[in-house]
Amino acid sequence: MKRIQSILLAGLLLLCSQRADAQAAELKPSQAEPAVLFFFDAISYASSVPGKSRIEVFIQVPYEQLRFVKDGETFSANYDVVLTVEKPSHQILQERSWSVDVRLPEFARTVSRNSASLSQKAIEIEPGEYHLIVLVKDTDSKKTGKIQRSVLVTDFAKDSLSLSDIMLVSRLTTEGNKRKIVPNISGMVSSSGDGFFLFFEVYGGTPDDSITFTWKIFNQEKKEVSSRVQAEPTPTSQTQVFVKVEDLLLPIGTYLVTVETEVPMKATTSRTFTVRWADLPPSIKDLSKAVDQLRYIAQPTEYDHIRKAETDEEVRKRFLEFWTKRDPDPQTQRNELMEEYYQRVEYANKTFSHYMEGWRTDRGMVFIRFGTPDNIERHPFDMNSKPYEVWYYYEVERQFVFVDETGFGDYRLRYPTTDLWGRIR
């Protein structure tokens, strides 16, 4: 691990130094306490409890996010989960906590990006709007991660025919008369995969009913990109339905899938999912934007070479070639340098956005290039002074001064004035 970290640091330093038109600029790994990166999904179903519905909560923690220790002939890890259910007013209604033990027979699986620990909890609750907060903490490393999400729980007993929320299924197998599903908690599907399944339940069918469903997929411009009609028998008042979405070769991006029925009556359900390439970090959801974000580190000739590609596939090829040349450890599937860079971009977007995306701001630019400051002086209310911040990077003997000229959080870099390469305002 220490070897990878040193290689990563050296790679980031070299990456910035390759900019011929720039002053010496160091890009070092973030010094903030790393967080556990995990996935979480909440799906509403009908409940057997009168007046209530059921939320199935799934938490998926990739093995590479946990710290495993040698335990005899195996490797073990442990993490704690706290689930809080709040009303929109932030009044706490329920809180659940549990621990998960993971034991693996070989070290290779502990660092696999394709393997994860999955846990699940069911909550019986009245229909309505809620706020869910999930906190995950690795017991050994003390790293924590937190995700918040608003959910709308449907009253499935209100209508004579209704559909549950949609679960994405990454794998479906059959054992005798039983079907075993592996849920896709991340909501991300590979553009090069074999497709995926949609799973939902139908409430209100009778033995004589056969319901025809129409599923449609829409892109971010709300344009329909695919649709299909499928008939399903509903022999009971609660029927499970699986819909196969074949490999559509969709460009990376976010999509909306809807399922609806008109006969014997109208019912609908929907959810979003994200298509990504398997060899790109999950944080990259738009390849064109990811190429734009190379402006801070790529030389002009490299950037233009990628941009001049005539097809999306050629853009992807040249983009990966750019990062492959800088892979600190080519023997592994991961490219730690690329992951670090786009994690910084993602953090900048979450932290510094206002009327423009955070990565485009001056503070975002400095954070992406240099990482987390060693110290920040904030001066929001000084007498006879506009709000300003001073960021210090002691190891590389640099400091940056940002001034909020408008009073609306638009901090502009004011010192140093000669270090503005990469600015895209």
Side-chain angles (χ1 to χ4, degrees), residues 1 4 64-65 111-113 327-340 343:
M1 181 61 72
I4 290 296
E64 66 176 358
Q65 293 296 319
V111 294
S112 171
R113 67 186 309 173
D327 189 348
D329 191 356
Q331 303 301 317
T332 65
Q333 293 181 345
R334 299 174 57 189
N335 186 323
E336 293 84 359
L337 200 67
M338 177 168 59
E339 291 179 2
E340 170 70 18
Q343 283 175 6

Side-chain angles (χ1 to χ4, degrees), residues 19-245:
R19 280 295 299 261
D21 59 342
Q23 295 185 11
E26 298 80 3
L27 190 60
K28 57 194 180 66
S30 300
Q31 296 176 4
E33 184 68 23
V36 177
L37 303 178
F38 66 98
F39 303 102
F40 140 62
D41 202 4
I43 304 173
S44 298
Y45 298 99
S47 171
S48 58
V49 179
K52 292 191 176 183
S53 297
R54 186 177 84 254
I55 305 177
E56 292 285 351
V57 178
F58 299 87
I59 292 94
Q60 185 181 61
V61 183
Y63 289 158
E64 66 176 358
Q65 293 296 319
L66 300 173
R67 177 178 293 178
F68 284 83
V69 296
K70 191 76 163 59
D71 186 6
E73 298 298 319
T74 63
F75 298 85
S76 63
N78 174 273
Y79 62 93
D80 298 319
V81 182
V82 178
L83 168 64
T84 305
V85 183
E86 296 181 345
K87 287 186 175 181
S89 62
H90 300 295
Q91 176 188 352
I92 297 178
L93 297 179
Q94 295 189 39
E95 190 168 85
R96 304 279 187 88
S97 61
W98 64 95
S99 295
V100 180
D101 293 311
V102 183
R103 191 173 295 273
L104 300 175
E106 55 189 16
F107 176 77
R109 290 192 62 192
T110 69
V111 294
S112 171
R113 67 186 309 173
N114 299 317
S115 300
S117 169
L118 178 66
S119 62
Q120 173 185 1
K121 288 292 179 183
I123 300 174
E124 306 289 343
I125 200 166
E126 294 180 356
E129 185 176 350
Y130 299 95
H131 191 62
L132 303 187
I133 305 171
V134 176
L135 182 70
V136 171
K137 181 177 181 179
D138 183 295
T139 304
D140 191 63
S141 69
K142 308 303 180 184
K143 290 196 307 181
T144 62
K146 182 179 180 181
I147 299 179
Q148 305 181 51
R149 182 177 303 171
S150 294
V151 297
L152 181 63
V153 180
T154 303
D155 183 357
F156 297 104
K158 181 179 65 174
D159 300 317
S160 54
L161 180 69
S162 58
L163 309 179
S164 74
D165 290 349
I166 297 173
M167 173 193 287
L168 297 181
V169 178
S170 59
R171 188 166 68 250
L172 174 65
T173 58
T174 303
E175 298 178 0
N177 295 326
K178 295 183 178 180
R179 285 175 166 173
K180 183 178 180 180
I181 63 176
V182 176
N184 179 338
I185 308 305
S186 69
M188 294 183 288
V189 299
S190 173
S191 63
S192 59
D194 297 323
F196 56 95
F197 285 90
L198 309 176
F199 167 77
F200 57 92
E201 293 185 343
V202 182
Y203 310 116
T206 68
D208 298 327
D209 284 343
S210 179
I211 299 179
T212 299
F213 302 95
T214 301
W215 61 262
K216 300 178 181 179
I217 295 177
F218 301 87
N219 62 18
Q220 289 175 289
E221 288 72 42
K222 299 182 180 180
K223 178 182 178 181
E224 182 181 317
V225 296
S226 183
S227 66
R228 188 165 301 171
V229 177
Q230 177 174 324
E232 286 286 337
T234 53
T236 67
S237 60
Q238 180 173 321
T239 303
Q240 295 183 336
V241 177
F242 293 88
V243 174
K244 177 64 183 293
V245 179

Side-chain angles (χ1 to χ4, degrees), residues 181-375:
I181 63 176
V182 176
N184 179 338
I185 308 305
S186 69
M188 294 183 288
V189 299
S190 173
S191 63
S192 59
D194 297 323
F196 56 95
F197 285 90
L198 309 176
F199 167 77
F200 57 92
E201 293 185 343
V202 182
Y203 310 116
T206 68
D208 298 327
D209 284 343
S210 179
I211 299 179
T212 299
F213 302 95
T214 301
W215 61 262
K216 300 178 181 179
I217 295 177
F218 301 87
N219 62 18
Q220 289 175 289
E221 288 72 42
K222 299 182 180 180
K223 178 182 178 181
E224 182 181 317
V225 296
S226 183
S227 66
R228 188 165 301 171
V229 177
Q230 177 174 324
E232 286 286 337
T234 53
T236 67
S237 60
Q238 180 173 321
T239 303
Q240 295 183 336
V241 177
F242 293 88
V243 174
K244 177 64 183 293
V245 179
E246 303 291 348
D247 186 6
L248 302 174
L249 299 178
L250 295 171
I252 63 173
T254 300
Y255 297 83
L256 174 72
V257 58
T258 65
V259 178
E260 58 183 14
T261 179
E262 295 285 350
V263 180
M265 58 197 68
K266 186 175 180 62
T268 185
T269 185
S270 64
R271 72 160 295 155
T272 59
F273 66 93
T274 301
V275 174
R276 71 176 187 91
W277 279 307
D279 45 10
L280 296 180
S283 58
I284 297 180
K285 299 179 176 62
D286 185 324
L287 182 58
S288 178
K289 184 171 293 186
V291 173
D292 281 344
Q293 292 158 347
L294 289 177
R295 289 173 181 263
Y296 296 145
I297 54 172
Q299 296 183 28
T301 53
E302 294 176 305
Y303 180 81
D304 291 341
H305 175 67
I306 299 174
R307 270 288 172 222
K308 289 179 180 178
E310 296 182 353
T311 65
D312 289 342
E313 187 57 36
E314 183 62 24
V315 170
R316 172 174 170 263
K317 177 184 176 182
R318 296 182 183 185
F319 178 82
L320 289 174
E321 286 175 350
F322 172 88
W323 284 107
T324 298
K325 293 176 182 177
R326 297 159 173 83
D327 189 348
D329 191 356
Q331 303 301 317
T332 65
Q333 293 181 345
R334 299 174 57 189
N335 186 323
E336 293 84 359
L337 200 67
M338 177 168 59
E339 291 179 2
E340 170 70 18
Y341 186 77
Y342 284 102
Q343 283 175 6
R344 294 187 187 186
V345 170
E346 186 174 35
Y347 180 87
N349 284 336
K350 291 179 179 178
T351 308
F352 306 122
S353 294
H354 42 92
Y355 64 85
M356 67 169 63
E357 292 177 297
W359 76 272
R360 292 177 175 270
T361 66
D362 288 353
R363 287 187 298 176
M365 175 182 66
V366 172
F367 179 85
I368 291 169
R369 289 174 56 196
F370 288 83
T372 303
D374 296 303
N375 185 43

